[in-house]
Amino acid sequence: MRIHALTSRNPLSKSRYLAGRQCLKRLFLQVRASGVVLDPDDDASAARMASGREVGVLAQGRHTGGVLIDHGSKAHDEAVKETIAALMDPRVPAIFEGAFTHMGVEIRVDLLVRMPRDNHWELHEVKSTKSVKDVHLDDLALQVWVVRGVGVNLQRVGILHLDGDYVRDERGVDEQRLFRFADRTAWVYERLAAVPGELGPMMEALRADRPPEVPTGGHCARPYPCPYRTHCGLVPEAVSPTSVRNVPNGDKLVERARKLGIDDVRELPADLVRSPKHKAAVKALASGVPHVSTRLASAMRALSYPLGFLDFETYAPMVPQHAGTRPMQTLPTQWSLHVLHADGRVEHREFLHDGVTDPRPAFAASLLDATAPCVTVLTYSHYEEARVIELMADLPEHAPALDALRGRVVDLMKLLQGHYYHPAFGRSYSLKRVAPVLASSVRYDGLRVANGMDAVVAYGRLHSAPLEERAELQRALLEYCAVDTRAMVEIWFALAAAAGVTLPSPRWPEVAR
C-alpha cells in the first residue's frame, strides 16, 4: 500500500462524506492510498449505475429549458463558474448537476429548481429507488449545508424517487408521473448543525500519515458493503461442521445455546432443542448421517406423473419499459422445464424472451403449453408461484389456465425441509447449497451465467448487445436455467434413493446448443 500526500485537489465530496460516515479508515484508503486490495466490482453494480444514470436523465426531463453543467470531475472550478452564472440568470428554470465548493467540500447537485419566490430554489436529490432511505438523507444534508454555505436560498429540499404506483401507458414514460417528491426540508434543517462536527474528524483522518485503526464490525456492510473488506481481513468466519450455527432457521436455538456458552451441537442439553426439525438437524450434524423422514416415501408417492421441474428467471428494470408496467416491476422473462415421465424418460423445454417487447404474453402462453402434460409441477421455493399469481392479474385472458397451473405446483424445497436434511447443507436449503450435495453431476462453475444476478445482468444486455454477443448471452441464459431444472430432477432421484422409493433410471434428452 502506498500513501499519497493530501493536496488541495483531494477535497471531500458526497461519496467521500458517506464513506467517512461509514468508516474513517475506508475514507482514508479511498482518498490517500493506492495498491490496496479491493473487493472486485461486479457486473450487477455496473448495471445498477447505468440504470441510475438513465433515471437521472429522466428527472432532468421534467424541467424544460434547464441547464446542464456538463463538466467532468477534473473541471470542477469551471463547473462552479457556470453554475453561478446559471443561478444569476433569471431565464434559467432549473440547473442540472450544479457544482459548488464550500470549506473544502466539493459537490454536484442533481437538480436545482427555480421557485416563483425571487431568488429561491428547490434542491432535489434524485434516487433510483421507490422509497427514501436513511443514507439518502445524509447525502441530502451535506448538499444543503454546502449550497446554503455559499449563499443560495433554498425554499424546499427533498428526495425525488421513483413512484412505485406509476404505470406506463402506450405513449411512453411520463417523466412527471414517474417520480414522487419526498419533502425533507424540516428534517434536513434540524440535521445541518451536525455536519461540521462530522467533517472535522474526516479532515483530520485524511491529514494523518497512516490509516486510522478501526475494528471491523456491522458498519463494514452498512449502508453499503465496503470495498476494502478483503484488505481489512474481513472474511466469512469459519464454522465448525458441528456448530449450532449450522442448524437451519435456528437463530433462537443459537441464542439459547450462546447464553450457556455452547457452540457444538453435541453439547446441547436435550431440553434446549424444542422444534422437531431442529432435533433432526442437530442429530444429523452430530452424527454426520443425513436425516430422512419416515414420511418422505409416502410424500413422494403422492405426487403423480408426469412431473414437471420448473424454474423462472426474471428482470425488474428501474424504468418501466413496457405499457402496463411499473418501476422495478418483476417481469418473468425465461423458463426451463424438465419433464420426468413414470418410465424414466426426461424431456426438456425452454423459453427465453427476446428482450425487446413485453415478455409476459409470450412467456405465459408458452409456459401453459409446455406444462399442460404435467400432472405435478415442482418448483424450488415459492418464487415461481408468486410470479404466476402476478401474471394472473396482469393477463386476465390467461388467468383461469394460470390458476389451474398454480393448483398443480408443489414446492420441492418445502418437501426437502419437511423430510430431509444433510449435514453438508449447513443452515441453508438454497438450490446452490443443496445441488452440490444431492445433484453432484451438476456444475455451475465455468458457466458465463452462474447465478440469478448474472442472469438479470445478461438479460438486461440482450436488446443492446452486438449480434454476436447477443447470441452468446442467449446461449448462456438458456444453459444456466436448464442446469437449475436438471439439478431439481437429480435431487428428486437422490431423495427417492434415500427414501427407498424405486424409480427407473432417468433417460436424459440430448442437449444441443
Side-chain angles (χ1 to χ4, degrees):
M1 178 177 69
R2 295 182 298 278
I3 306 299
H4 305 294
L6 184 67
T7 70
S8 59
R9 299 313 308 171
N10 289 130
L12 287 172
S13 62
K14 292 192 295 186
S15 62
R16 290 174 178 178
Y17 171 71
L18 295 178
R21 278 183 54 80
Q22 182 172 0
C23 174
L24 292 176
K25 183 177 182 180
R26 172 181 179 173
L27 173 65
F28 181 96
L29 295 173
Q30 185 171 317
V31 177
R32 298 281 310 280
S34 61
V36 180
V37 176
L38 285 168
D39 291 353
D41 291 332
D42 56 23
D43 291 340
S45 297
R48 284 192 294 270
M49 291 180 65
S51 295
R53 288 191 291 270
E54 179 188 6
V55 170
V57 171
L58 287 168
Q60 294 172 7
R62 292 161 55 89
H63 303 281
T64 303
V67 172
L68 173 64
I69 310 301
D70 190 12
H71 285 275
S73 59
K74 294 182 179 179
H76 186 80
D77 293 342
E78 186 64 29
V80 169
K81 293 177 182 177
E82 287 197 17
T83 302
I84 294 172
L87 286 166
M88 301 299 292
D89 187 345
R91 298 169 299 176
V92 173
I95 301 172
F96 312 139
E97 300 294 333
F100 299 90
T101 301
H102 178 57
M103 295 182 66
V105 180
E106 294 183 356
I107 65 166
R108 289 295 190 99
V109 175
D110 290 336
L111 290 177
L112 278 172
V113 182
R114 190 182 295 273
M115 303 300 291
R117 185 178 175 186
D118 185 42
N119 201 31
H120 280 70
W121 296 80
E122 270 192 4
L123 188 153
H124 297 185
E125 170 69 4
V126 181
K127 295 298 181 185
S128 52
T129 59
K130 294 189 292 184
S131 62
V132 178
K133 305 181 187 302
D134 289 344
V135 67
H136 298 164
L137 299 176
D138 295 331
D139 187 343
L140 183 64
L142 178 71
Q143 293 180 60
V144 173
W145 181 80
V146 170
V147 173
R148 287 181 79 243
V150 298
V152 178
N153 294 317
L154 295 176
Q155 182 173 325
R156 197 165 70 136
V157 302
I159 305 296
L160 191 68
H161 62 86
L162 297 170
D163 185 346
D165 294 328
Y166 165 72
V167 179
R168 175 173 172 164
D169 59 26
E170 297 287 351
R171 293 169 294 180
V173 175
D174 183 339
E175 293 95 340
Q176 301 300 328
R177 296 172 52 227
L178 175 64
F179 295 93
R180 179 179 296 175
F181 182 73
D183 189 334
R184 293 295 184 268
T185 307
W187 184 95
V188 166
Y189 276 73
E190 290 180 3
R191 171 88 167 72
L192 286 183
V195 173
E198 295 168 337
L199 294 173
M202 295 182 194
M203 295 291 195
E204 184 179 345
L206 288 178
R207 288 193 292 265
D209 295 329
R210 64 186 64 188
E213 293 295 329
V214 181
T216 58
H219 63 277
C220 297
R222 293 191 301 268
Y224 305 113
C226 175
Y228 299 96
R229 288 178 297 171
T230 299
H231 169 79
C232 292
L234 191 65
V235 296
E237 182 182 0
V239 177
S240 164
T242 57
S243 171
V244 180
R245 287 169 285 171
N246 283 324
V247 176
N249 299 312
D251 290 346
K252 292 183 179 179
L253 175 61
V254 170
E255 185 60 30
R256 292 196 296 269
R258 183 178 289 119
K259 290 179 180 178
L260 297 176
I262 297 173
D263 184 63
D264 195 307
V265 294
R266 293 169 297 185
E267 300 173 6
L268 289 172
D271 60 353
L272 202 68
V273 186
R274 300 162 188 172
S275 161
K277 289 183 180 180
H278 287 171
K279 290 180 180 179
V282 165
K283 182 178 179 180
L285 289 166
S287 65
V289 178
H291 161 76
V292 183
S293 164
T294 56
R295 301 186 305 277
L296 176 58
S298 59
M300 296 184 71
R301 292 191 179 106
L303 303 183
S304 300
Y305 288 77
L307 302 176
F309 295 84
L310 179 65
D311 180 65
F312 291 174
E313 298 301 331
T314 60
Y315 183 56
M318 290 180 182
V319 178
Q321 298 177 348
H322 313 292
T325 62
R326 301 178 302 279
M328 299 185 186
Q329 179 176 341
T330 301
L331 302 176
T333 57
Q334 178 182 359
W335 55 258
S336 173
L337 180 75
H338 272 90
V339 180
L340 175 61
H341 295 268
D343 63 0
R345 180 168 50 94
V346 182
E347 298 176 286
H348 181 244
R349 296 186 66 178
E350 60 191 359
F351 168 86
L352 173 62
H353 190 254
D354 61 13
V356 179
T357 58
D358 187 343
R360 293 172 297 175
F363 181 97
S366 61
L367 175 68
L368 290 169
D369 177 68
T371 55
C374 302
V375 179
T376 306
V377 176
L378 291 108
T379 61
Y380 204 87
S381 85
H382 176 68
Y383 190 77
E384 281 71 20
E385 184 180 0
R387 304 289 79 75
V388 170
I389 293 171
E390 292 166 355
L391 286 173
M392 290 169 58
D394 294 342
L395 306 172
E397 68 275 21
H398 290 305
L402 288 168
D403 194 34
L405 168 61
R406 181 188 170 203
R408 309 199 309 275
V409 169
V410 174
D411 187 343
L412 179 59
M413 184 167 74
K414 279 190 176 179
L415 184 71
L416 269 165
Q417 290 171 328
H419 300 286
Y420 186 90
Y421 176 76
H422 194 290
F425 293 172
R427 59 183 293 117
S428 175
Y429 274 95
S430 72
L431 185 60
K432 300 301 186 291
R433 190 65 179 262
V434 169
V437 181
L438 298 184
S440 56
S441 69
V442 172
R443 291 286 186 271
Y444 291 93
D445 52 317
L447 296 180
R448 172 169 178 172
V449 174
N451 54 58
M453 189 53 67
D454 286 351
V456 168
V457 174
Y459 184 81
R461 282 191 51 78
L462 270 185
H463 70 284
S464 60
L467 284 178
E468 184 175 336
E469 185 186 0
R470 182 183 174 89
E472 172 59 22
L473 289 169
Q474 289 172 329
R475 185 202 64 76
L477 283 164
L478 290 169
E479 182 179 30
Y480 167 67
C481 204
V483 167
D484 271 355
T485 51
R486 175 167 180 133
M488 292 165 63
V489 177
E490 294 199 16
I491 289 169
W492 178 261
F493 276 89
L495 291 178
V501 176
T502 302
L503 296 178
S505 299
R507 304 200 306 278
W508 298 97
E510 293 185 7
V511 178
R513 293 285 181 208

